[in-house]
Amino acid sequence: MALVQYILILCFTGVLCNTANTSAPSADCSTDPHPFMPIGSKYYLINAAVKMNWFEADLFCRTFDSDLAVIESEAEMDALSFHVTTNGNLGKFFWLGATDLAVEGKFMSHYNGRAIPYAKWARGQPDDSQKREDCVHLWPVNNIYFMNDYPCYSEGYALCEMRQRPKCCGESALSKNGLKKLVDEYVRSAYPILNCRD
Ligand SMILES: [Ca+2]
Ligand SMILES: [Ca+2]
């Protein structure tokens, strides 16, 4: 598909343009977190019922407009570990939104493409065992959760993190950065008639 066609599709479907944000009913800005639950300072959706590989888990989260969780601090790690171990899920492992699929040994957030801000690796990890471990999961060792790199096609459970919404009616913080901005500017300059934000 030509780039222009792709961009136009994104525009019409609202991926690039903020029409939905600027004129959306309040439901779009709803603070109702269901089915996410507050754990520590964030909202999470834990699917401890259906095992899936990392890619499936990523898509599962996206169906809820969320992403596989990226743990950003020791406090978040502790809160999640406590929740999982005290809600009958101890022993299960949960996929996180971190991977070194792009560059071996450099674990990046699948959400924003940046280096993960925090890690609590289990001893000896990450080890890229058999050179096939590129996805990160929460892994219990002696009933304490750590992080481990693991084969992406292994099956675990999805740990989704609710996106931190930008201000409802303001410009998305994400739109100020990166590829989205570049493509958005391209659309605006090349197809002013399709400027669906203003
Ligand atoms: Ca690896
Ligand atoms: Ca490993």
Side-chain angles (χ1 to χ4, degrees):
M1 179 183 298
L3 174 63
V4 169
Q5 290 176 288
Y6 180 66
I7 290 172
L8 291 178
I9 290 172
L10 291 178
C11 187
F12 283 126
T13 56
V15 173
L16 289 176
C17 305
N18 287 348
T19 305
N21 286 343
T22 53
S23 59
S26 57
D28 264 4
C29 298
S30 171
T31 55
D32 179 5
H34 182 77
F36 293 78
M37 68 181 73
I39 302 174
S41 60
K42 292 183 176 177
Y43 285 84
Y44 298 93
L45 172 60
I46 299 176
N47 180 351
V50 181
K51 280 187 173 181
M52 51 190 86
N53 66 43
W54 186 84
F55 301 99
E56 293 168 334
D58 177 62
L59 292 174
F60 170 83
C61 292
R62 288 170 187 262
T63 64
F64 289 91
D65 290 329
S66 66
D67 302 281
L68 284 173
V70 174
I71 299 176
E72 297 182 294
S73 68
E74 184 175 1
E76 290 181 18
M77 181 75 187
D78 291 345
L80 277 170
S81 297
F82 179 79
H83 179 89
V84 170
T85 55
T86 56
N87 283 274
N89 290 318
L90 179 61
K92 296 179 179 178
F93 82 65
F94 298 89
W95 288 121
L96 298 175
T99 175
D100 71 340
L101 277 168
V103 181
E104 176 56 39
K106 294 193 180 301
F107 288 90
M108 316 295 285
S109 161
H110 186 56
Y111 168 65
N112 63 20
R114 298 172 183 153
I116 55 173
Y118 170 84
K120 181 184 179 183
W121 296 112
R123 179 175 295 183
Q125 305 299 334
D127 62 353
D128 197 40
S129 178
Q130 301 181 44
K131 299 186 183 302
R132 65 186 190 101
E133 297 192 333
D134 297 329
C135 293
V136 179
H137 65 175
L138 275 182
W139 188 42
V141 179
N142 295 327
N143 297 337
I144 298 174
Y145 274 93
F146 294 89
M147 295 180 189
N148 174 45
D149 57 340
Y150 207 61
C152 300
Y153 282 100
S154 295
E155 292 198 327
Y157 297 98
L159 173 55
C160 309
E161 173 184 324
M162 189 167 76
R163 291 173 186 160
Q164 296 179 21
R165 290 180 179 277
K167 293 175 182 176
C168 290
C169 301
E171 185 178 9
S172 164
L174 285 175
S175 70
K176 298 175 182 175
N177 298 295
L179 181 61
K180 183 177 187 302
K181 178 185 177 185
L182 293 175
V183 177
D184 205 5
E185 288 176 351
Y186 175 82
V187 170
R188 283 168 171 271
S189 62
Y191 301 95
I193 195 171
L194 296 177
N195 187 336
C196 47
R197 179 179 294 167
D198 298 327

